[in-house]
Amino acid sequence: MRHRKYPFIAGFLFVPLALYLIFVIWPYLQTFGYSFTDWQGQSQTMNFIGIDNYKALFSDSVFMTALGHNLLFLVFVPVVTILLALFFAFMLNVGGRGKSGGVKGVTGSPVYKVLFFLPQVLSVAILAVLFGAVYRSDQSGLLNGVLIKLHLVTAANPIEWLNDPNLVLWCILAILVWWWVGFYLVLFSAAMQSIPKDIYEAALLDGAGRSQTFFRVTLPLLWDSMQTAWVYLSIVAMDVFALVSTLTPGTGYGGGPDHHSEVMATDLMRNFQFFGKSGYACAMGVIILLLTLILSAITLRVSRRERIEF
């Protein structure tokens, strides 16, 4: 009986594994192969050119600028999102006052969780429309309208949020943080609710304050959740194509003004669709994949520590 179960299990795994190999692994292998050719996309003819595409990438000023922007997102998106989500989750679960020694959330915490999570149910298309109105460069834009009412700017000279080279990247960063904080707030809240309240009460009886409770009790017990959040947010930081392409000016797929919001994905799509340099674009895709895998592995290795049982 023991040996008969293996063909039974293999029968269930065969179809999903075959589909995964055909629709996921095989396109990756094809992309890797095309990156060594001069393929132009619509043509079936291609010539093997070795690593010329990869050499050209690192002398391409636009690609190097886009790489720098992605690295900026890799630093700020996980750090800012996780810090804000941790703060709000702590306040909503442990930051209130009451008869239970302060081990409860602030008043109305279930409502706040729903409100914080709401942005996560919005699609990228809705986000683009929403923040297109927020960042409008005239007095009809939400931000400019508020600033004009407060007499911080004039109606004649509103702020060009998405057309200002010094502001456009930070505007995209603000959208990403606003979009993802609610999701990780809920994730950290679920992890905090699994921590026995006896631990918090013991810390409070020993004289621990709010900050000591957070850094010495909550943070160590949430380390696994934070590690997972960091990896996924790193992937988010590498994949901001939809927001950049829909919100920013530029020649096909955004990236403007003058490549100041360019990311690797927008440069890839421009080379593939507009310039017909498909083999070159495939090399960019391989670099994005390798960079994502390497950074995820480094994050998991650096943040690894002994599991705390409770």
Side-chain angles (χ1 to χ4, degrees):
M1 289 295 294
R2 184 177 180 181
H3 295 288
R4 291 179 184 176
K5 70 178 181 181
Y6 296 115
F8 180 76
I9 295 172
F12 275 99
L13 291 178
F14 176 76
V15 173
L17 185 59
L19 291 174
Y20 184 79
L21 290 172
I22 293 170
F23 293 107
V24 178
I25 302 300
W26 179 241
Y28 278 123
L29 295 176
Q30 281 186 308
T31 301
F32 187 73
Y34 290 147
S35 70
F36 295 104
T37 69
D38 61 356
W39 182 42
Q40 296 181 354
Q42 300 189 13
S43 172
Q44 295 297 320
T45 60
M46 61 186 79
N47 300 307
F48 180 78
I49 58 173
I51 61 172
D52 287 355
N53 284 329
Y54 293 95
K55 289 180 180 178
L57 278 179
F58 294 100
S59 60
D60 185 342
S61 60
V62 175
F63 178 77
M64 296 306 294
T65 299
L67 176 61
H69 293 161
N70 274 112
L71 293 176
L72 180 69
F73 281 129
L74 277 169
V75 173
F76 281 94
V77 172
V79 170
V80 176
T81 304
I82 289 174
L83 287 177
L84 287 175
L86 276 174
F87 171 75
F88 290 130
F90 183 77
M91 294 303 296
L92 293 180
N93 288 276
V94 191
R97 295 181 179 181
K99 295 179 181 179
S100 58
V103 188
K104 58 181 268 186
V106 297
T107 304
S109 57
V111 177
Y112 291 133
K113 289 177 186 177
V114 173
L115 292 176
F116 275 112
F117 190 78
L118 275 178
Q120 191 58 213
V121 304
L122 302 178
S123 67
V124 176
I126 295 174
L127 279 181
V129 173
L130 177 64
F131 280 94
V134 171
Y135 289 136
R136 275 188 61 166
S137 56
D138 56 25
Q139 59 184 344
S140 298
L142 178 62
L143 283 178
N144 276 325
V146 171
L147 293 175
I148 290 170
K149 289 294 184 182
L150 295 174
H151 302 289
L152 296 177
V153 298
T154 62
N157 294 295
I159 298 175
E160 301 276 347
W161 297 101
L162 296 176
N163 293 309
D164 189 328
N166 298 317
L167 293 177
V168 60
L169 213 60
W170 300 106
C171 290
I172 300 296
L173 173 63
I175 298 172
L176 289 172
V177 172
W178 179 83
W179 193 19
W180 285 101
V181 159
F183 177 83
Y184 289 101
L185 181 152
V186 173
L187 176 70
F188 295 149
S189 292
M192 287 181 189
Q193 288 170 3
S194 68
I195 301 173
K197 289 191 176 182
D198 295 346
I199 297 177
Y200 287 112
E201 290 172 356
L204 292 171
L205 288 173
D206 288 339
R210 289 283 175 84
S211 60
Q212 290 174 315
T213 303
F214 177 76
F215 287 106
R216 296 186 178 273
V217 177
T218 304
L219 206 57
L221 295 176
L222 290 183
W223 194 258
D224 289 343
S225 298
M226 289 177 57
Q227 186 185 56
T228 303
W230 195 284
V231 172
Y232 278 98
L233 284 168
S234 297
I235 296 172
V236 168
M238 295 295 292
D239 184 24
V240 291
F241 168 76
L243 276 178
V244 172
S245 62
T246 52
L247 280 174
T248 62
T251 305
Y253 301 109
D258 195 24
H259 303 295
H260 279 84
S261 64
E262 197 78 66
V263 292
M264 289 187 287
T266 56
D267 193 26
L268 184 157
M269 289 301 296
R270 188 179 299 106
N271 277 278
F272 188 87
Q273 294 282 357
F274 282 86
F275 301 149
K277 299 165 66 176
S278 302
Y280 187 62
C282 287
M284 290 186 188
V286 172
I287 294 296
I288 294 172
L289 173 64
L290 292 178
L291 187 59
T292 303
L293 291 175
I294 291 170
L295 289 170
S296 298
I298 291 174
T299 300
L300 290 172
R301 181 66 183 88
V302 170
S303 62
R304 187 173 65 185
R305 57 171 64 180
E306 188 176 347
R307 181 183 292 272
I308 299 175
E309 302 288 344
F310 56 87

